[in-house]
Amino acid sequence: MKEKILLLGSKGRLASFIKKIKPEVIGYDKEVDISDKEQITKLIEKEKPTLIINCAAITDLEYCENNPEECWEVNALAVKYIAEAARKVNAKLIHFSSNAAINPINEYGKAKLASENFAKPSGLVIRTDIYDTKTFIINKLLFTDEKLNAYNDAFFNPIYMGTMAELIFKLKDKTGILNIVTKERLSFYEFALKICEIFNIDQSRVIPVRYNENQKVKRQKELYLKPDINISIDEDLRRLKDDIKR
């Protein structure tokens, strides 16, 4: 059977990388309300895809905290509806979750954890933390001359969206939950220094600071995920650098 890919959240940042690899995808964004069970079910039954990639989500943590019902409907319940409709048409679902789903302490993380349970019976859940040139740390270091405050006591292991987009199609036949991230556990400060190293930026621009507990939204200090792939942050950032040159 010929592959037919339905891409939800098709105007998002990760989706833009997916479309570079698979320009033939059928994309839907705000024109379909994924939290409307009837609407998303009819769309999937009409298109009859073999693969559904769900990039649609509300990722603004403060917005999620202030609008918990909408956060739950879009980031959790919608995934349930998509997964149910996918099974009806025998389509594989790939759904993106977050490191915030591990021991969640905010509305976004709680909804993402629920979404994993809705998607994983027959689909593939990719738990991750992705970046590109619009990510705050990278954007500030690469495109301004300003100093950057970066946490030296909060940890993660992000992966470039360009790398992720390719990996999706290598991993698409798998099911369950995969942690798709780079392999090193880095503080935000160490990540910023790595960016400076790869892009030949003065490291004195990066100022180490302690994590601020008094934020509007609670966030985990430990966001490291044990990776299911073997990609170093150096390799990943060099790929970003190569893509910027193109």
Side-chain angles (χ1 to χ4, degrees):
M1 182 186 293
K2 185 180 178 182
E3 185 175 63
K4 183 178 182 181
I5 303 169
L6 177 64
L7 179 62
L8 301 173
S10 62
K11 293 181 181 175
R13 285 154 60 186
L14 176 58
S16 69
F17 287 89
I18 294 171
K19 288 186 287 187
K20 288 176 186 176
I21 297 170
K22 296 281 188 178
E24 70 274 17
V25 300
I26 301 163
Y28 285 88
D29 202 85
K30 296 287 177 64
E31 62 269 28
V32 59
D33 180 0
I34 62 168
S35 66
D36 182 318
K37 182 176 182 178
E38 184 179 357
Q39 195 176 141
I40 190 61
T41 301
K42 282 183 177 179
L43 172 67
I44 291 169
E45 289 178 344
K46 180 189 82 170
E47 295 292 355
K48 292 184 173 56
T50 58
L51 176 64
I52 301 170
I53 303 175
N54 181 35
C55 294
I58 301 172
T59 57
D60 183 320
L61 267 62
E62 188 172 337
Y63 184 90
C64 287
E65 210 67 16
N66 294 330
N67 301 274
E69 187 173 330
E70 185 181 356
C71 171
W72 179 259
E73 288 174 352
V74 174
N75 290 347
L77 277 183
V79 181
K80 180 176 186 286
Y81 305 150
I82 294 166
E84 288 172 349
R87 286 191 286 273
K88 285 181 181 178
V89 300
N90 200 29
K92 176 67 176 287
L93 170 62
I94 297 178
H95 170 65
F96 289 91
S97 185
S98 165
N99 49 12
I102 305 297
N103 302 316
I105 59 174
N106 52 48
E107 294 296 332
Y108 173 75
K110 291 171 186 174
K112 278 297 184 181
L113 176 59
S115 77
E116 293 183 353
N117 293 320
F118 290 139
K120 72 181 180 183
S122 57
L124 170 62
V125 174
I126 295 180
R127 195 185 283 149
T128 190
D129 189 337
I130 48 180
Y131 69 84
D132 66 355
T133 55
K134 293 181 181 178
T135 301
F136 177 75
I137 292 179
I138 294 174
N139 189 275
K140 193 159 187 176
L141 287 174
L142 266 57
F143 305 117
T144 80
D145 295 319
E146 298 172 19
K147 298 273 188 182
L148 172 73
N149 292 335
Y151 298 132
N152 62 2
D153 59 345
F155 301 89
F156 71 150
N157 48 332
I159 190 167
Y160 172 46
M161 292 184 196
T163 306
M164 174 63 77
E166 279 199 356
L167 287 171
I168 290 167
F169 298 101
K170 293 178 181 178
L171 300 169
K172 66 179 182 178
D173 293 329
K174 295 186 178 294
T175 56
I177 299 176
L178 291 178
N179 294 333
I180 305 303
V181 282
T182 47
K183 63 184 181 181
E184 298 90 349
R185 176 179 179 266
L186 299 174
S187 68
F188 285 77
Y189 174 66
E190 290 169 324
F191 179 56
L193 293 183
K194 278 288 183 187
I195 297 165
C196 291
E197 178 187 326
I198 299 297
F199 286 88
N200 300 312
I201 295 168
D202 182 2
Q203 292 189 346
S204 68
R205 285 179 54 198
V206 185
I207 302 165
V209 296
R210 305 290 288 177
Y211 181 77
N212 178 12
E213 300 284 358
N214 298 315
Q215 300 188 59
K216 292 180 180 178
V217 182
K218 289 182 180 179
R219 303 166 193 248
Q220 298 101 312
K221 288 174 66 175
E222 183 58 76
L223 288 167
Y224 171 79
L225 295 172
K226 184 178 179 182
D228 290 311
I229 57 170
N230 185 30
I231 294 177
S232 72
I233 192 63
D234 292 69
E235 176 187 351
D236 203 47
L237 284 168
R238 287 193 184 99
R239 174 169 185 157
L240 169 66
K241 186 176 182 179
D242 289 343
D243 282 358
I244 292 171
K245 286 178 181 176
R246 290 192 183 120

